[in-house]
Amino acid sequence: AQKITQTQPGMFVQEKEAVTLDCTYDTSDQSYGLFWYKQPSSGEMIFLIYQGSYDEQNATEGRYSLNFQKARKSANLVISASQLGDSAMYFCAMREAGRGGATNKLIFGTGTLLAVQP
Amino acid sequence: DVKVTQSSRYLVKRTGEKVFLECVQDMDHENMFWYRQDPGLGLRLIYFSYDVKMKEKGDIPEGYSVSREKKERFSLILESASTNQTSMYLCASSSPGPYSGNTIYFGEGSWLTVV
């Protein structure tokens, strides 16, 4: 069964330092996508970065990069040069094709609460 | 600007009441989803719909039903609200594959308290 695991319920990081948020996944599909979202205290879900299962290069978006290790089924998010505004809940998510590609269900991990300290 | 709109941001309902949470999207998306979010449990999928009148159960459908009579609207129904359904409910929509990055859109969430 498809599953996303985030083992870090909470983390601290010093401002300007880099931080890695862990994510492992389980799927039997060959074709899938991995996402990271940020959720500040306001509750909105903010898309950060995406990695396709067939993408050979790790995805990067500004200060965000995704360390994709397919054989280990891990998709860790790396935030470089942390800022106070990065304090939020972070969710890893996976989307895999349903029957005939129709459903594209998106499942989430339990999240990691990141606190950036000045 | 793309939009997923949830009709109510904050609701307080009594135990046993029938509760409707409405979600409307303006992007002509086939897929729509309802999640509930609880501390320590992340977002759990309740139901999703991949076409009008088509629905599938997610991971936690018990106590909920859904309705999709029109493509743009996906309603979550609590037939008889209970206190353990106090939660934040998130609606999302997307088109089906091919996959790409920012193709899943979320509403702002509905905070439901059942007393």
Side-chain angles (χ1 to χ4, degrees):
Chain A
Q2 58 194 76
K3 189 177 180 182
I4 293 279
T5 302
Q6 294 180 255
T7 57
Q8 305 153 314
M11 288 190 72
F12 288 101
V13 65
Q14 288 296 125
E15 197 177 5
K16 299 179 186 173
E17 291 186 353
V19 62
T20 297
L21 306 183
D22 294 341
C23 173
T24 57
Y25 61 92
D26 191 18
T27 179
S28 55
D29 271 22
Q30 297 302 308
S31 180
Y32 52 89
L34 296 155
F35 299 74
W36 277 92
Y37 289 89
K38 172 184 178 182
Q39 187 183 47
S41 56
S42 58
E44 62 183 309
M45 295 290 281
I46 301 169
F47 166 76
L48 296 178
I49 196 165
Y50 168 83
Q51 179 85 40
S53 59
Y54 292 117
D55 294 342
E56 294 189 353
Q57 299 222 335
N58 286 344
T60 59
E61 291 283 351
R63 294 186 299 112
Y64 304 108
S65 60
L66 200 152
N67 184 1
F68 181 46
Q69 298 188 42
K70 195 170 182 177
R72 297 176 65 181
K73 292 189 174 178
S74 75
N76 298 340
L77 177 70
V78 180
I79 305 174
S80 62
S82 298
Q83 302 172 356
L84 295 177
D86 293 335
S87 294
M89 181 71 82
Y90 288 81
F91 290 102
C92 180
M94 177 172 66
R95 185 181 190 186
E96 60 178 40
R99 293 180 298 279
T103 53
N104 296 164
K105 196 165 65 170
L106 182 69
I107 61 163
F108 287 82
T110 52
T112 297
L113 185 61
L114 178 67
V116 181
Q117 296 179 310
Chain B
D1 201 14
V2 297
K3 211 134 171 119
V4 177
T5 304
Q6 295 183 226
S7 55
S8 303
R9 196 81 205 273
Y10 300 97
L11 307 95
V12 181
K13 297 292 181 180
R14 296 193 185 278
T15 301
E17 275 193 74
K18 190 168 186 175
V19 181
F20 291 86
L21 299 179
E22 307 283 350
C23 177
V24 177
Q25 50 96 1
D26 63 2
M27 295 160 282
D28 202 36
H29 282 162
E30 286 83 356
N31 297 336
M32 296 188 75
F33 307 84
W34 274 107
Y35 296 89
R36 66 175 280 177
Q37 183 177 357
D38 301 287
L41 297 176
L43 279 74
R44 292 179 292 166
L45 183 63
I46 305 172
Y47 267 98
F48 62 101
S49 168
Y50 51 91
D51 203 349
V52 175
K53 296 189 188 294
M54 305 302 286
K55 61 187 180 187
E56 283 199 22
K57 294 179 180 179
D59 299 318
I60 52 163
E62 296 79 19
Y64 303 94
S65 61
V66 290
S67 171
R68 187 140 181 230
E69 296 296 319
K70 294 185 178 181
K71 192 175 186 180
E72 68 269 18
R73 185 180 296 269
F74 191 36
S75 303
L76 180 69
I77 304 156
L78 288 66
E79 294 289 343
S80 177
S82 63
T83 54
N84 63 13
Q85 293 178 308
T86 291
S87 186
M88 203 267 268
Y89 292 87
L90 267 172
C91 176
S93 76
S94 75
S95 51
Y99 305 135
S100 60
N102 191 13
T103 55
I104 300 164
Y105 300 90
F106 289 87
E108 291 186 314
S110 298
W111 296 87
L112 172 66
T113 300
V114 183
V115 298

